[in-house]
Amino acid sequence: MKVQIIGGSGTGKSTLAKFISEKENIKWIDTDNYLWKDESFTENYPIEKRKEMYEIDMEFNPDYVVSGSIFSWYPNGFTNRDLFVFLFLDEEIRMERLRKREIKRNNPKESWLDEDGNKTNEFLEWCKTYLKEQDKAMIGTYAAQCYEMELSKSPILKLDSSQPVDELYLAIRGALQEKREGGA
């Protein structure tokens, strides 16, 4: 099983990937670990270090589930996947999930109230551009993810991530089974 899961921040990529990893007893690759040096999300690894970590994961993990993308810095990464999963979610629900997560993670001094009276920060303001940004070169946007899916040679499964994680997992298992049987 080689599955990559993409979608906007807050759609549940990591939650689903971790669930699949545990159910299937396979490696969970969180692409944030290639990008960020620690959980402060302030200092990036250089691209060569990211590629080195990726190559080690590919060498030692014949099966994996990935949360996130490396397309912007390694377009040929994960091209051996069996299934490419795109998670989508109602924008209000996605942003509410992100606000709750950011409140837990961040120093309150780094946040302010937005035009709607919601707590926000630089990351949340960037997340608000997910659907609006039209430049496919802008990392982490819907436009960029559509471009990545357009170029994909892997089967693509689009899932509404408001469903329970076990139902999303079953949909992925079903798509993989269909692929094995020659239907995809």
Side-chain angles (χ1 to χ4, degrees):
M1 174 186 276
K2 296 176 178 74
V3 175
Q4 183 179 7
I5 304 168
I6 65 169
S9 294
T11 56
K13 299 178 301 290
S14 297
T15 300
L16 179 57
K18 182 179 179 193
F19 183 88
I20 293 169
S21 170
E22 291 169 356
K23 284 286 199 187
E24 298 289 330
N25 195 28
I26 60 174
K27 171 77 172 176
W28 166 30
I29 299 170
D30 183 349
T31 60
D32 281 350
N33 294 334
Y34 294 152
L35 187 61
W36 303 106
K37 288 187 175 184
D38 61 31
E39 290 185 15
S40 69
F41 305 106
T42 55
E43 191 176 356
N44 290 13
Y45 283 112
I47 290 175
E48 288 310 311
K49 177 66 177 170
R50 296 178 208 172
K51 288 181 178 179
E52 178 185 317
M53 290 187 292
Y54 166 82
E55 295 297 339
I56 290 168
D57 278 340
M58 292 303 97
E59 182 179 347
F60 292 103
N61 297 289
D63 296 299
Y64 59 78
V65 59
V66 178
S67 56
S69 177
I70 62 173
F71 186 76
S72 65
W73 53 268
Y74 200 9
N76 294 323
F78 302 120
T79 53
N80 66 339
R81 65 188 164 234
D82 299 316
L83 186 64
F84 199 20
V85 178
F86 173 73
L87 295 182
F88 61 91
L89 184 64
D90 174 83
E91 194 65 1
E92 285 184 38
I93 295 169
R94 185 178 80 86
M95 289 306 299
E96 184 57 31
R97 281 185 183 180
L98 288 167
R99 275 191 285 280
K100 287 178 181 176
R101 185 173 80 186
E102 286 300 294
I103 287 169
K104 287 180 186 175
R105 277 188 184 169
N106 287 317
N107 181 341
K109 293 178 184 175
E110 296 174 1
S111 66
W112 62 91
L113 295 180
D114 68 10
E115 64 278 359
D116 297 321
N118 295 312
K119 281 199 172 187
T120 193
N121 59 27
E122 286 183 35
F123 173 71
L124 290 172
E125 290 301 304
W126 173 78
C127 289
K128 290 178 184 179
T129 69
Y130 176 70
L131 292 174
K132 298 173 190 168
E133 179 59 59
Q134 298 299 307
D135 183 354
K136 62 185 177 191
M138 294 301 291
I139 300 165
T141 63
Y142 181 67
Q145 292 170 350
C146 285
Y147 180 63
E148 186 175 355
M149 287 187 285
E150 183 181 309
L151 297 177
S152 176
K153 293 181 179 21
S154 309
I156 297 168
L157 178 63
K158 297 179 180 182
L159 295 172
D160 179 346
S161 64
S162 65
Q163 300 174 71
V165 71
D166 57 331
E167 288 181 25
L168 296 170
Y169 166 67
L170 290 175
I172 290 167
R173 292 288 307 155
L176 289 167
Q177 183 65 33
E178 183 178 317
K179 180 183 184 271
R180 277 191 286 278
E181 293 170 359

